[in-house]
Amino acid sequence: MISSLSRVEIAVKKILILTANPKNTDRLRLDEEVREIQAALDQSRNRDQFEIITRWAVRVDDLQPILMDYEPQIVHFSGHGGGSQGLALEDELGQMQLVSSIALAGLFKLVKANVECVFLNACYSEEQAKAIHQHINCVVGMNQAIGDRAAVKFAKGFYQAIGRSKSYTDAFEFGCNAIDLQGIPESSTPVLQYKAEELPPRFDKVPDRHALLDQDQENFQYDAYISYVDQEPDTTWVWDVLLPRLEQANLRIAVSGDLASPGVARVVNIEQGIQQAKRTIIVLSGAYLAHYEATFENILGQTIGIQEGTYRLLPVKALPFDNAQLPTRLSMLTTLDLAHPRRSEREFERLIHTLREPLPQM
């Protein structure tokens, strides 16, 4: 178990892992999954800021007292899912007892004051995830059956990111990528139910978030500067899709070329535009990565951020391109995939949420 011993007061996050593998169900590698979660957190820089609580062979009658007694921030369930029938827990004889989506949603409504994230690592658990999401900001489920190996790798990637102070949404993406890195074709099985109000988990003391946000608003004329290549189909996507979406969210947006003062060198106009905006959104495409002026804009935005000790660049993917074209300095940044057929809506919400937040520190 990870404990917290520090002169500085740190809020310890409790991760409650509940497992169930009833006698009349297929055997699962639950012990390996728990071991990988523990190892992922033990190896993180924030290992002293978590407490892992594991309960095996959980019965239906155990759920209420366990959640009330431990008051966890993250609830992780490993076991079997039954789709519309519910999650499979155990009865007094160790046999399967299904718990309905309605009952689970009602339970998490009662404990929502403490729980930040629910992780259902069980086949066909998307319906339960959606029900619980009525009361919990961040819920992970599975839209179909998931293999043991994919489930373990996904959990490991998720908690490796959580242990390094990533947000729940970023942790989800790291989990999906962990599946891809292993060459397992199941990275589209996990699904995330997410509300934009969710804040990244923080484990240190920080100034008041609203005060930081107000200060950011005062320091910048724009919330974002959009760097793109004025070629089709990039131009149409920026002006007809991206810009209207951001302006509908009441964000102050400047588009490359908007701030050009007549008679002034273009490089000066670009520099002024990027400096006046809190973040620089770079619209990645094959044309963008091959364009010299776009390269100048994103290098400038990244350089200004490095000088300040902040992350200024915010890459988004709107069109297909060869990832091999990405320079190393950009490939290291998390890219929002606004063109993904299943995740685009959630990615747009993440983009808007990020633009409203203070600049992240390096």
Side-chain angles (χ1 to χ4, degrees), residues 6-7 16 141 154 212 215 296 306 314 318:
S6 174
R7 295 180 183 178
L16 176 61
F154 177 67
L212 284 175
Q215 182 180 346
F296 171 75
I306 291 172
L314 193 52

Side-chain angles (χ1 to χ4, degrees), residues 45-97:
R45 65 188 178 209
N46 294 313
R47 57 184 173 274
D48 293 333
Q49 298 166 25
F50 296 93
E51 179 183 1
I52 294 181
I53 303 156
T54 306
R55 290 294 176 267
W56 303 89
V58 174
R59 299 177 179 178
V60 175
D61 287 344
D62 297 332
L63 285 178
Q64 285 188 347
I66 288 176
L67 288 170
M68 287 189 291
D69 289 345
Y70 291 109
E71 298 183 339
Q73 282 70 55
I74 299 175
V75 178
H76 181 109
F77 173 78
S78 296
H80 288 285
S84 60
Q85 298 180 58
L87 288 183
L89 273 70
E90 300 189 11
D91 62 15
E92 291 79 0
L93 300 177
Q95 301 295 312
M96 180 175 65
Q97 182 174 348

